[in-house]
Amino acid sequence: MQISVTTGTCAAAASKASAIYLISGECPETVTVKNLQGHEFILEVFKESEYFGVVKHSYESTDVTDGVKVLARVEILDGEDDLIFTAGEGVGIITLPGLKLPVGEPAINPVPREMIKRSVREIIPRKKLRITISIPDGEKIAKRTFNPRLGIKGGLSVLGTTGTVKPMNEEALLSSLSLELNMIYSLGFRELYITFAGTGENFTRKIFNINGRNVIQCGNYIGHVLDNAEKLGFENVIICGHAGKILKVSSGNFNTHSRISDGRLESLCTHLALEGANSDIIRRIYHSNTVNEAIEIVKSEGFFRVWNNIAETVSRKCKERTHYVMKVDTVIIDGSGGILGVYHES
């Protein structure tokens, strides 16, 4: 079975090939590298000018880096037993605090760094080395990743923890959200705005006139974001999202993926019933094809305050989840960014 390897594994193999060339003057056809658990990967390598490279293949995963070249160049410097990492073309630089490496460092994560170090030290044990990693087209590809939000500029990150890429890697997405939260907290923010996607962020910034970096898109993972916000010590959270997502949270769903949770119209029906809506209105809402259709029914029947009640329920459930250590406000919006309901904790 073909295995999808990470950019970190590719970088380790390319670096080892460059080190072999420095010692022997020959470029091997393949090299063997190990992850930190000792599992071996045999990868084909090639020489390209002063660099040595590996083509990254993602056989089992839809990966934006599938097919890219990961290149490395090892240079021997004056001195002993030191190793310097440099970002070449298409590898990002860290510009904001709160990530796993200091500001100014190449975005080559700690585990790939250790894999590269071990691979190269098998060939060149004690000399001072500079290792330059390059990913041509990395700056363009990085625009489709979390890097711009994390303050990683100029290209991609060199990633990996096990050496291989997991299909539909939810763990990587959750890790990116955690890193973004760390970065926001490290910048000194204690108030966090949570939205669900890009359109919601745009509306949130407009509604609250926000220009700062303390807005995070949680996607389907509002529970994960809330849990980490609590652990980090955020004091205030403002959730702003479309009624469709907010209604799921009001039902106690903290993963809002369509395969995992729903209950949107059921929650709306419950709140309308508590407001005294008759059975005809409840039935029409329940059989609505979309939440937007339900919003129009609520509007036409004049039950505007139901959205404030739903917003209050969302804030209460989020506070329960986070052990009442944070203030939580909720704003519900429609598809045009218009405000339907608000709960503000006094």
Side-chain angles (χ1 to χ4, degrees):
M1 181 180 68
Q2 294 174 308
I3 297 175
S4 303
V5 295
T6 62
T7 48
T9 301
C10 294
S15 298
K16 186 172 183 178
S18 182
I20 291 171
Y21 185 82
L22 277 177
I23 300 303
S24 69
E26 298 181 358
C27 175
E29 293 184 0
T30 63
V31 296
T32 300
V33 294
K34 296 179 182 179
N35 66 8
L36 302 193
Q37 293 75 39
H39 300 134
E40 293 187 343
F41 306 94
I42 302 172
L43 301 178
E44 295 180 357
V45 296
F46 59 87
K47 189 174 187 300
E48 187 170 291
S49 186
E50 297 179 327
Y51 284 82
F52 296 78
V54 173
V55 177
K56 181 180 184 296
H57 296 293
S58 297
Y59 302 105
E60 303 170 6
S61 176
T62 54
D63 185 346
V64 295
T65 59
D66 180 35
V68 302
K69 295 178 182 178
V70 181
L71 307 178
R73 180 187 181 191
V74 177
E75 301 169 85
I76 299 176
L77 307 177
D78 292 335
E80 291 187 1
D81 201 18
D82 193 12
L83 198 150
I84 300 168
F85 286 96
T86 302
E89 176 191 0
V91 172
I93 298 290
I94 294 169
T95 66
L96 293 173
L99 303 184
K100 295 179 180 179
L101 296 164
V103 170
E105 279 290 308
I108 304 169
N109 277 11
V111 170
R113 285 182 183 232
E114 185 63 24
M115 284 184 66
I116 292 167
K117 177 182 176 180
R118 293 185 185 184
S119 298
V120 169
R121 287 306 188 197
E122 289 179 17
I123 311 302
I124 307 173
R126 284 178 294 276
K127 293 185 179 294
K128 184 176 183 179
L129 303 176
R130 176 166 57 220
I131 301 178
T132 304
I133 306 297
S134 176
I135 305 176
D137 295 325
E139 186 169 5
K140 179 180 178 181
I141 297 168
K143 295 176 182 177
R144 298 160 59 192
T145 72
F146 274 88
N147 278 16
R149 297 187 66 88
L150 297 174
I152 298 172
K153 295 185 177 180
L156 290 164
S157 301
V158 178
L159 303 172
T161 55
T162 63
T164 61
V165 177
K166 297 177 183 178
M168 302 298 289
N169 197 343
E170 181 180 82
E171 180 183 348
L173 177 57
L174 296 180
S175 177
S176 294
L177 288 171
S178 298
L179 285 174
E180 186 172 359
L181 283 167
N182 287 337
M183 179 268 293
I184 293 170
Y185 191 85
S186 297
L187 289 173
F189 292 106
R190 297 298 177 265
E191 186 171 71
L192 178 69
Y193 292 83
I194 300 176
T195 68
F196 292 90
T199 301
E201 178 174 348
N202 292 337
F203 289 144
T204 299
R205 290 188 178 278
K206 183 177 179 180
I207 291 167
F208 292 97
N209 192 26
I210 306 169
N211 294 315
R213 300 189 67 95
N214 58 329
V215 183
I216 187 168
Q217 296 177 25
C218 69
N220 292 310
Y221 303 104
I222 187 170
H224 177 82
V225 170
L226 287 168
D227 293 345
N228 281 268
E230 177 198 352
K231 291 175 184 177
L232 285 169
F234 282 96
E235 298 169 3
N236 302 324
V237 168
I238 299 92
I239 301 167
C240 184
H242 185 269
K245 290 286 190 180
I246 293 292
L247 283 166
K248 288 188 178 185
V249 182
S250 73
S251 299
N253 295 311
F254 290 95
N255 182 332
T256 60
H257 195 288
S258 59
R259 293 187 214 173
I260 294 175
S261 67
D262 197 359
R264 295 166 296 172
L265 296 177
E266 290 83 352
S267 180
L268 181 53
C269 286
T270 298
H271 281 277
L272 283 167
L274 291 171
E275 285 293 307
N278 62 40
S279 60
D280 178 65
I281 295 172
I282 300 297
R283 188 176 295 106
R284 286 162 60 200
I285 293 290
Y286 186 78
H287 291 291
S288 296
N289 292 317
T290 65
V291 171
N292 287 333
E293 180 182 340
I295 289 171
E296 291 304 314
I297 296 172
V298 172
K299 181 179 178 181
S300 66
E301 296 294 339
F303 282 91
F304 302 105
R305 65 182 182 182
V306 72
W307 298 113
N308 291 340
N309 295 338
I310 293 169
E312 182 177 1
T313 299
V314 168
S315 290
R316 175 171 53 81
K317 288 186 177 293
C318 291
K319 285 176 67 66
E320 288 172 356
R321 183 180 176 100
T322 54
H323 309 99
Y324 299 94
V325 300
M326 297 185 298
K327 175 182 174 183
V328 181
D329 296 339
T330 300
V331 177
I332 307 173
I333 58 177
D334 61 22
S336 301
I339 296 175
L340 295 172
V342 176
Y343 175 75
H344 175 67
E345 186 177 347
S346 58

